[in-house]
Amino acid sequence: MNYVDFKSPTQLDEARTLLKELGESASPVAGSTLHVFLKDESPKVAVDILRLGLNGIRLVDGVYHIGATTTVTDMLNHRQHGWVLDRVAEAFVTQPIRNMATMGGSVVRVFPWSDLPVALLALNAELVITGDAERVMSAPEFFATQPFHHLQAGDLLTSVRIPALVEGQGFAYHKERRTTTDFSRCTIAAWLALDDGKIADVRIAVGAAVPMPRRMDAVEDALKGARPGPAAFEKAMQAGIDAPRWKGLHGISDEYARHLASVHIVDVLTKAHEEAKGA
Amino acid sequence: MNMKTITFTLNRKEQSFDIEPDETLIDLLRRTGHTGTKLGCDTGMCGSCAVIVDGRAINACILFAFQANGRTVETIEGVGDFDSPHPLQTAMADAGAVQCGFCTPGIVMTAKALLDEKPDASEEDFKLHLDGNLCRCTGYVKIKEALLSCSSATGGES
Amino acid sequence: MSKRDFKVVNQPLRKIDAMTLALGKPSYVGDFKPDDALIIKMLGSPHAHARITSIDISEAEKMPGVHCVLYYGNVPRIVHTTAGQGYPEPSPYDTFMFDSKMRFVGDRVAAVAAETEKIAEAALKAIKVEYEVLQPVLRIQDAMKEGAPIIHDEPEARAVIPVPYEPKKNMAAHVDMEIGDLEKGMAEADETIDFQFYNHYGQHCPVEPHVSMAWVDREDRIIITTSTQVPFHCRRIVAQTLDIPVRRVRVIKPRIGGGFGVKQEIVLEDVVAMMALRTKRPVYWEYTRAEEFISSRTRHPMLMRLRMGAKRDGTITAIGLDCHSNTGWNGSQGLTVVCNSGSKMLPLYRCGNIHFEGTVVYTNLPAGGAYRGYGATQAAFAFESAMDEMAEKIGMDPLKFRAMNHIKSGDTSPVFRALGEGREGVDQAITSCELARCIKAGAREIGWKRRKPHTTKKGRYRRGIGMACLMQGSAIPEIDMGAATLKMNEDGSFNLLMGATDLGTGSDTVLAQIAAEQLGTTLDQIIVYSSDTDMTPFDVGAYASSTTYLSGQAVQNVALKVRKQILKVGADMLDCKPAELTIEDAKVVRKKGEGQVTFSEIALYSMYSANQFQIGDISSKIVHHSPPPFAAHFAEVEVDTLTGAVRVIKYVAAADCGTPIHPKLAEGQVEGAVMNGICYALTEEYLFNDKGRMLNPNFGDYKLYTLSDLPEMKTILVPSYEKTGPYGAKSIAEIGINGPLPAIANAIHNACGVRLRTGPFTPEKIWRSLQAGGEIPFEEGH
Ligand SMILES: Cc1cc2nc3c(=O)[nH]c(=O)nc-3n(C[C@H](O)[C@H](O)[C@H](O)COP(=O)(O)OP(=O)(O)OC[C@H]3O[C@@H](n4cnc5c(N)ncnc54)[C@H](O)[C@@H]3O)c2cc1C
Ligand code: FES
Ligand code: FES
């Protein structure tokens, strides 16, 4: 990064004004881990957004509000009813990076290995952007393209909202990796709600093995109203597995990437179902 | 060059530094004589540059120096010395967990951050917290032994 | 085996530099970087095979802050090898400081020395280069094809020892050997096998990448401080490449952040020295992690054909091993690595008909070099996989099959004489071998009795147990030399000055223990200095598992000489004969009766009182044997048969290294080597595109285990007493890395019936093999 100056505002408005005035020549900096992958040579003013008080996890009316500068470690350490992001945070590379990387930085620019976007899709998250006015975007909207395209100069992602899990619901997350700190080859998240022994609602999202994280609509459709179980999961998986264009990363073939997805879709559905059942 | 001054607490002493806006914390530390923090990859993937900022281990090769402004930074130089080594340093040396030693300061700092927060850290805690530290020499067996011996859960002190 | 009552050797002592390093005291090259050092950066070739048709450095030279730009047009063209080996080197002379021909992606185009890293990088961008792109050679098989592009077409390329060398055919070396008659042995067999194996690229990944700095002192000498395993070879080769006398070069090795063989090579020092000479400023060059992967050295990938014949009673009638080694863009260590593929594995089992052939080829890929295991790793994979397959064919338990055939104490093998390091080897009989006990102890620890055939296993997750037997050597007999100087100080302490190179292994501690034991003093009384070509005597350096065995004997010898001097002065002081005296706890005492003087009193007396002289001496050692350490490794794995993912549950390494001089460090050598081997077997892999560019030169994509991936690991040291070694010791540093590839391959087979012949054992390969009913068609990998 070619930072020619830095600013350390302590108020959100102050930060936004700075960013707006400087426009293209400024960039918000949260955990700053992105620069490992993205070497931007153009001269920029770094605007440190870690001192704006945007961090913290609050439960409001059954919905978790996660401040944009909440670190992955904070998400990992948080323990409260219906909180599930610790399962995702645990898979997020290494301790020092979990200590630095933030919710905001991890979702405004999506990489194949990005963990949080996949989980947020399955959890029906809402993303709050503070610009001149506040905007709320649904996860599918937000991740339909590289999310930073939604942000104008001076806009900041300020929080992410996810409904807390309640009884009868389950969530599971799987990241296929060779070692605990590996980049993902295939990421799958599933959320599932039971009603009267049937699947009332379900959301499955995949990442890493597809160009952008996405929901698996056809699999979801095949499951809604169905009786959960190995046969139903397998059948639903078959119904939707070929919707995305699977892409093998880091030396694996496209075919194997598809195969991994097919195995783990069934696996995470099974796990989410167990949780929903209260097992 | 756009030198700017920042101030932070380094090893319990408030200090001011003239920095360039784009220099990383490790560059600042090493050029000011804190060479115990090592550079093994410069991409956040080996942990040899780990230092503690506001109680948590981070990769000093990633963090920009300006981000340390106003914070509390601990490096290996502040942790112990020959006459008063940190228990982790003694344990690492005694367990045979220091071969080439290049990874050792990073491991000590990362483990210290954990033990400061959780003196009774379990094997699982160490595995999770040390997952960002590569050691090519030891195969981790003796490192694990050394770390565990410092947890109050096994009667160690830190 | 004989047990001895040691006081310092074989004791649980703290490694002498452990606390210094744990405290983070300045120790490594980078910690001593002068404030005013110029920073060196290298422009790498974007093409795997090309010729520079024009290069313009004028813009870069003019940039403020740039002090020097080096390229082929302004440095001497002196052919040499980068391999840090004995002279004349068994590696071909095929490398120049800079050349107009590019032989791999990353090859040296031009180097810049500038005030800051930023300026140096900007200057690299200002260098204008045009290339004539040539067809690259990216596979072993392609290198040997008729009409293949010639990688080393320069007239200077030559071998400096009498060995086959045909660069026009991309052949960097060739060796063959036959004992008995392979074909006859195959004909006599009840069962035969004939398989191909491929072991892949891998890198040492020392956590400290290569780093060197240099300056010119007031006497116009070049002082190089560098992360090297071979300070003396480094001095010689730098002098050669700069065309200056050896006396103008001084090489200092401080603490090293890991080497594993990769620092047995002159990778940075020639350029650093030249830059210092040209700029008269301190200069500093540190590889990035990406450069470490691409431009330093790697394990030689090998394509191997293994043939074996055996009778149903378990007698091995024939062994044929044919290795094609990829040495990459230069021939560094090519011949000797492939020789070791034969010499370090073939003697392991008794057999009368053995054929071995090694061919080393150039390709436009990263260069192979010395890497822990040194050819034995490659051969062990093929050999020990085949032992399991043969055992299955003749219907014998793989343990029993190995136990009845392996070499034993008192045995010799014709291979020892037939295959040396680029020349004939040295006859030797095995004087210590506890392999049988290693096998027993390891089998018990892993629970070998639980092992069931894979055909009985069901379910998604299946477990399996596999094993492998191994041997290595201890130093290169009749070739390598180590020396040590020892002198006494007023307080009864000693300076031990050695050329031997501690690269993190703890050899400084081990050698100091040997000195202390021999002198009759304690470890803290030995002040070790290693290594500095101005200050310490010669040593070949840290390679070939030699330091404890070879340099250890040099130390033992010099300590013995000094001990005699001490006794003599003591006799003077106590007015008796040396024979009446002995040494106890740093004191000379009469064997019978009263009277003693301390080491300190002796030192003071010899320095200041009468017949003054410096108590001290120097000794050198070459060895006539290379006693092999032995090991039996066992792995238990679990395979997810749906995805092919494999997890190591438990790994047991039982090793015979003679007397472990420092048991914890010996265990550490095994554990580190085994962990490295496990990662190599399962996750480490070079990915190249079709133009020869490495795609994953970072620790994010090239995966090593961390503590969080550590399986249950158990090291069992099975002591023997090697009578030719110092206090019964032989080597331990390399052998451990050879086990995981075959032991895990055999365990995977035992779990799910899949036989893997190409590393690494990725989930996709296992999944495909399961789909194919156990095995996929063999393919040369990368
Ligand atoms: C070695 C390594 C491995 C990694 N592996 C993984 C992995 O396996 N899985 C995974 O999910 N992640 C992984 N990451 C992290 C990921 O790639 C990103 O680097 C990280 O999530 C970014 O978070 P940050 O807080 O550091 O953001 P920063 O680097 O500070 O910022 C990233 C980008 O987002 C912008 N930005 C940040 N916050 C806001 C905001 N609130 N509003 C608007 N814009 C904002 C910044 O301007 C910048 O463009 C890895 C990182 C490293 C270094
Ligand atoms: S140097 Fe910072 S993680 Fe490797
Ligand atoms: S001791 Fe060498 S890398 Fe850990």
Side-chain angles (χ1 to χ4, degrees), chain A residues 50-134:
Chain A
L50 290 185
R51 298 155 205 262
L52 309 179
L54 290 179
N55 57 318
I57 301 167
R58 284 179 305 134
L59 182 61
V60 182
D61 298 334
V63 176
Y64 278 109
H65 293 233
I66 305 146
T69 58
T70 307
T71 64
V72 179
T73 296
D74 290 334
M75 295 182 234
L76 176 61
N77 291 347
H78 195 78
R79 293 285 179 283
Q80 204 175 349
H81 188 71
W83 175 256
V84 293
L85 283 188
D86 54 328
R87 304 174 200 173
V88 182
E90 194 260 319
F92 193 108
V93 276
T94 64
Q95 181 69 13
I97 292 175
R98 287 190 290 270
N99 286 341
M100 286 188 273
T102 63
M103 173 60 100
S106 304
V107 298
V108 299
R109 191 181 285 271
V110 178
F111 289 98
W113 54 83
S114 296
D115 287 288
L116 286 160
V118 185
L120 296 194
L121 278 167
L123 291 166
N124 220 19
E126 290 182 331
L127 298 105
V128 182
I129 297 165
T130 306
D132 292 334
E134 192 173 280

Side-chain angles (χ1 to χ4, degrees), chain B residues 39-42 44-47 49 59 61:
Chain B
L39 189 76
C41 71
D42 209 7
M45 298 166 184
C46 77
C49 64
N59 298 125
C61 71

Side-chain angles (χ1 to χ4, degrees), chain C residues 100 134 173 233 243 251 253 256 260 265 378 386 399 450 492 499 519 575 590 678 778:
Chain C
S100 57
L134 306 171
H233 296 332
D243 196 19
V251 175
K253 174 220 77 101
I256 302 304
F260 318 106
E265 197 86 16
Q378 289 89 325
L399 267 195
R450 298 181 284 132
L519 290 164
D575 202 14
R590 277 186 196 272
I678 292 175
F778 178 80

